[in-house]
Amino acid sequence: MPRKKDMTRMCFGRSWSGLLCVALLCLAGLGLSSVAMGAEFKVGLVLDRGGKDDKSFNASAYEGAMRAKSKLGIFLKYVEATDDNAFEPLLRAFAQRDFDLIIGIGFAQKEAIKKVADQFPQKHFALVDSIVDSPNVRSLMFEEHEGAYIIGSIAALTSKTGKIGFIGGMDIPLIRRFEMGYTAGAKKINPQITVIANFVGVTGEAWNNPPKGKELAVTQYEGGVDVIFAAAGASGMGVFDAAEEKKKFAIGVDSNQDWTKPGLILTSMLKRIDEAVFTTIQEGQAGKFSGGVKRFGLASRGVDYSFDQYNAKILTEPVRKQADELKAEIIAGKIDVPDYYKKH
Amino acid sequence: MRKLLQPILAVALGLALGLAVTWIAGESPWHVLKILEKGAFGSGYDFGMTLFYTTPLIFTGLSVAVAFHAGLFNIGAEGQLTVGALAAAVVGAVWSGLSAPLAPVVAVLAALLAGTIWGAIPGWLRARRGSHEVINTIMLNFIAAGLTSYVALYLLKNPDSQNPETRPIGPGYLIHQFGIFGGAPVSAALPLAILAAALVWVLLWRTSLGFEIRAVGQSEPAARAAGIDAGRIRIIAMCLAGGLAGLVGVGEVLGNAGKFKVGFSPEFGFIGIAVALLGRNQPAGILAAALLFGALHKGTADLDFETEHVTRELSLILQALVILSVSADGLWSWMKERRRPVIPETAGGVTC
């Protein structure tokens, strides 16, 4: 067995001194810092831990902010938190600098937003998915149950086996709200339908666990389910992989995910976080920011189902027609969609 | 001198490598270094956040070090701190009517006890059953994660939040936060951590128990020959290690969140291994190393904020490179050997 010193030599060899030289050279190198300055409207965006590339929840928020950047000419800076205790320093860092509007994405930032907003009453804040009762905070809430109801009806209309699935990310009231609306919508179409629901996990990690999402989806498909609605953040990618493997349908969430597996993603339940973020920035820039709760439902197209070239062949005309009818009835107040938030 | 130079060199190398990576990503190393410094020490609040991250790292660093001195590798600090934090939160939520000064004392003892038990299990298994503590502590990390999630979500769930967390603890449990840090959650846990470091030093170098721990760690047969019950010492060392890690819960639950949040720790238990290594398992060294890693954690969080190209992932790489170079032990002895005239291989193994 080689001794420690020999091991070290094996690992580092002569390249060690060269490595150090390179490293020191880098230290000595001076570049230019790229900080854009100006009197423009400055927006700080603090994303949830899923990050901007989750192709779902955060991606939608990021897209809205980027659209504001290109269309409204604002200055945008976005950050992703490393741990739950990091939200507050990041929000505070934005507030301390000359940022005009600070947007937090996800309910995990509720306490941090509340604290920082109260300390910086002259700054404007917005929060997605949770309500903070401060005059300088706008809470952006979505009527997920309404959107999920339509998705449930589409799933039931498309299913041939009479069994549909639901895969939630983290088992929390928000996702239960999706599930309840989805089940109600499906039962409206087919009262005998079986809805099988599973959750990826109980912690934040459940938003970013594609293997577990895939495992659950495969089990559901093998049990006779032929459409699965995945409301699971980045874990939904695993559900889509399972759909591809089993040649069955899946339904996306938050962003339009139809393009990720064309021909297999039946539709996506759009949660227009992008619109909410964009509008908030637009109003902020125009000096029309207001606090309080803004709700986005079917009527305001804050939640909707997606239809584009990627699912045009699978989301058939009669199904769409019936979904649109239900949509109109909900908007008209003729259907009372069960809301998990009100029942618990 | 050499003792001091070696870790400093390791940190410098790691930092240089990390800066090289950020340089490749398109950010001037000088700029990055300035942000790191400003992010960690720039204002009272920034420094406060650094100290906030430093506090748990002192505890976990000490935890790993105490086990090291007994010849044990405690990879279970993460699990130990999780159960410690949960215990403090459970006590605080269940007997929420208790008032200060009794309340925080009870909660601290609960955290200490829970961590101790979580350390005692692998200690006992190693001493009496011979199963390796590296395996057992890792497995207990998973059990701790599962157990604490279960308690937080099914037994003591906070009804007012979508976050996976326990009900808030009673107001009597909250410990003092220092006002001078502009609202950063620096609490009485920091002096407690420094006190723990002092006590660990006294224990290891000024008591017979400490002598026995170090004796077992350096040579078990020799310790046995001297009449030391090595098994017993190992169990005690793991109890101490677990208890120290469990105290992380004090700063988090009593001094910051006021409840147990599932996943609150950005792997303090594992960074603690690097802290112990860098601090050469000496309490004073651990204090310094914990401050460095605390500053790095806070500083790198700001990199994402302050730069165009350094993302959260690149910040993690920078941190990881520092840890890696710190862990590359033996580098120094190899360099020293190379400077010496050629010596037959036999000289090598003795000190290792």
Side-chain angles (χ1 to χ4, degrees):
Chain A
M1 196 182 146
R3 292 194 193 94
K4 210 170 176 183
K5 283 176 184 171
D6 302 333
M7 299 265 280
T8 317
R9 185 179 291 141
M10 282 192 281
C11 296
F12 288 88
R14 283 177 180 279
S15 64
W16 143 251
S17 44
L19 215 61
L20 185 69
C21 287
V22 171
L24 288 175
L25 268 175
C26 298
L27 251 179
L30 273 170
L32 288 167
S33 59
S34 45
V35 182
M37 280 291 168
E40 64 221 307
F41 191 70
K42 295 182 97 170
V43 177
L45 180 69
V46 181
L47 295 170
D48 207 355
R49 282 170 68 183
K52 72 174 168 68
D53 296 321
D54 66 356
K55 298 197 180 91
S56 179
F57 181 66
N58 289 287
S60 181
Y62 177 72
E63 200 193 302
M66 286 307 279
R67 203 186 316 144
K69 185 181 174 175
S70 63
K71 279 197 186 161
L72 307 173
I74 55 146
F75 176 83
L76 174 72
K77 176 78 202 170
Y78 73 91
V79 287
E80 301 170 335
T82 46
D83 60 284
D84 280 354
N85 281 320
F87 286 130
E88 202 190 311
L90 289 172
L91 291 165
R92 186 183 295 261
F94 278 127
Q96 274 171 344
R97 289 170 178 75
D98 55 346
F99 281 84
D100 306 284
L101 174 66
I102 299 139
I103 306 175
I105 304 301
F107 56 79
Q109 301 186 41
K110 182 181 175 182
E111 285 168 39
I113 290 251
K114 169 88 187 141
K115 209 167 152 188
V116 179
D118 287 349
Q119 275 167 4
F120 296 88
Q122 76 286 4
K123 298 271 176 174
H124 293 152
F125 296 83
L127 174 64
V128 170
D129 270 1
S130 203
I131 297 176
V132 168
D133 192 18
S134 300
N136 56 334
V137 180
R138 172 181 286 192
S139 306
L140 305 166
M141 300 295 286
F142 292 84
E143 310 291 7
E144 290 93 0
H145 56 304
E146 294 183 2
Y149 189 92
I150 302 301
I151 295 297
S153 70
I154 290 174
L157 287 164
T158 310
S159 172
K160 293 191 171 65
T161 59
K163 272 189 186 175
I164 59 170
F166 175 85
I167 292 180
M170 191 170 153
D171 189 357
I172 48 169
L174 173 69
I175 299 302
R176 291 275 178 188
R177 195 186 200 203
F178 276 93
E179 185 208 346
M180 191 180 248
Y182 177 70
T183 308
K187 298 258 185 207
K188 169 86 180 171
I189 299 297
N190 174 7
Q192 267 76 51
I193 202 160
T194 312
V195 182
I196 298 173
N198 290 115
F199 291 85
V200 175
V202 292
T203 64
E205 176 262 343
W207 301 121
N208 201 4
N209 191 348
K212 180 84 184 287
K214 183 174 178 183
E215 199 181 302
L216 291 170
V218 167
T219 311
Q220 288 195 0
Y221 286 134
E222 282 175 351
V225 166
D226 58 355
V227 183
I228 296 178
F229 177 28
S235 300
M237 294 300 140
V239 177
F240 299 165
D241 283 344
E244 189 172 37
E245 208 172 288
K246 298 282 169 193
K247 299 279 169 265
K248 299 270 166 64
F249 288 129
I251 297 173
V253 79
D254 293 349
S255 290
N256 184 344
Q257 300 181 311
D258 301 349
W259 60 274
T260 56
K261 297 262 191 266
L264 291 165
I265 312 295
L266 186 58
T267 181
S268 300
M269 187 196 125
L270 303 175
K271 184 168 159 180
R272 302 301 301 269
I273 303 161
D274 55 337
E275 276 299 322
V277 166
F278 182 84
T279 316
T280 304
I281 294 174
Q282 195 173 32
E283 291 181 15
Q285 192 187 29
K288 289 181 190 148
F289 178 90
S290 58
V293 182
K294 293 265 176 210
R295 293 191 185 274
F296 298 85
L298 280 174
S300 56
R301 308 204 70 177
V303 291
D304 208 342
Y305 72 90
S306 63
F307 179 67
D308 60 16
Q309 73 265 36
Y310 298 107
N311 66 350
K313 284 191 188 128
I314 45 178
L315 190 60
T316 56
E317 173 78 36
V319 171
R320 280 202 329 269
K321 204 168 151 246
Q322 219 161 335
D324 288 338
E325 276 166 20
L326 284 173
K327 212 159 91 178
E329 283 182 55
I330 293 173
I331 294 169
K334 284 184 201 151
I335 296 177
D336 188 26
V337 180
D339 183 354
Y340 188 88
Y341 283 174
K342 292 192 181 127
K343 303 207 165 179
H344 289 265
Chain B
M1 185 58 201
R2 172 196 145 177
K3 250 182 167 172
L4 207 63
L5 199 63
Q6 186 175 346
I8 290 172
L9 211 70
V11 171
L13 174 69
L15 212 54
L17 286 174
L19 291 175
V21 173
T22 58
W23 189 44
I24 293 166
E27 208 68 50
S28 136
W30 184 243
H31 185 214
V32 170
L33 210 57
K34 267 204 310 212
I35 294 168
L36 281 180
E37 190 266 331
K38 202 164 141 277
F41 306 106
S43 70
Y45 179 79
D46 290 325
F47 186 51
M49 283 310 292
T50 295
L51 290 179
F52 171 69
Y53 287 122
T54 301
T55 308
L57 294 178
I58 296 174
F59 284 124
T60 54
L62 289 171
S63 167
V64 175
V66 168
F68 259 142
H69 279 291
L72 299 167
F73 194 15
N74 179 24
I75 310 186
E78 189 69 24
Q80 291 147 15
L81 72 87
T82 313
V83 292
L86 180 77
V90 167
V91 167
V94 173
W95 293 289
S96 56
L98 225 57
S99 57
L102 183 64
V105 173
V106 172
V108 169
L109 290 177
L112 190 67
L113 183 70
T116 304
I117 292 170
W118 222 249
I121 299 167
W124 184 85
L125 286 170
R126 170 69 199 269
R128 302 286 181 245
R129 285 284 169 274
S131 53
H132 206 281
E133 80 278 359
V134 166
I135 308 294
N136 288 327
T137 49
I138 291 177
M139 291 200 293
L140 278 165
N141 286 343
F142 287 102
I143 297 174
L147 181 77
T148 52
S149 301
Y150 176 75
V151 174
L153 285 156
Y154 293 101
L155 303 181
L156 274 174
K157 187 164 173 28
N158 184 0
D160 300 327
S161 173
Q162 304 230 17
N163 284 322
E165 58 188 37
T166 60
R167 291 204 308 259
I169 58 175
Y173 285 88
L174 299 173
I175 55 174
H176 181 68
Q177 279 192 4
F178 299 109
I180 51 167
F181 296 109
V186 185
S187 67
L190 179 65
L192 183 71
I194 296 167
L195 179 71
L199 289 178
V200 165
W201 183 83
V202 171
L203 174 87
L204 285 177
W205 282 277
R206 287 294 179 272
T207 67
S208 53
L209 176 64
F211 177 78
E212 290 179 359
I213 288 174
R214 288 183 293 127
V216 170
Q218 274 165 26
S219 168
E220 196 187 326
R224 279 191 200 285
I228 296 171
D229 180 350
R232 187 179 139 264
I233 292 297
R234 287 217 158 109
I235 296 175
I236 293 174
M238 277 309 290
C239 285
L240 284 168
L244 283 164
L247 288 175
V248 168
V250 175
E252 168 63 20
V253 176
L254 310 183
N256 176 36
K259 56 194 137 195
F260 174 82
K261 290 181 166 179
V262 173
F264 75 87
S265 159
E267 310 210 312
F268 288 133
F270 298 107
I271 306 174
I273 297 170
V275 169
L277 270 172
L278 181 64
R280 289 291 173 271
N281 296 317
Q282 308 284 324
I286 286 165
L287 288 179
L291 181 65
L292 176 85
F293 277 102
L296 214 55
H297 191 91
K298 173 63 177 67
T300 47
D302 279 29
L303 275 182
D304 187 11
F305 187 93
E306 296 280 0
T307 65
E308 287 293 314
H309 307 292
V310 181
T311 61
R312 182 173 60 171
E313 286 75 20
L314 270 175
S315 303
L316 285 178
I317 291 175
L318 202 156
Q319 278 189 73
L321 282 168
V322 173
I323 294 178
L324 190 71
S325 74
V326 164
S327 317
D329 206 357
L331 201 66
W332 179 263
S333 33
W334 170 77
M335 276 173 63
K336 223 182 132 201
E337 193 194 2
R338 220 177 79 150
R339 265 194 233 108
R340 265 185 283 166
V342 183
I343 285 172
E345 275 300 314
T346 44
V350 185
T351 51
C352 288

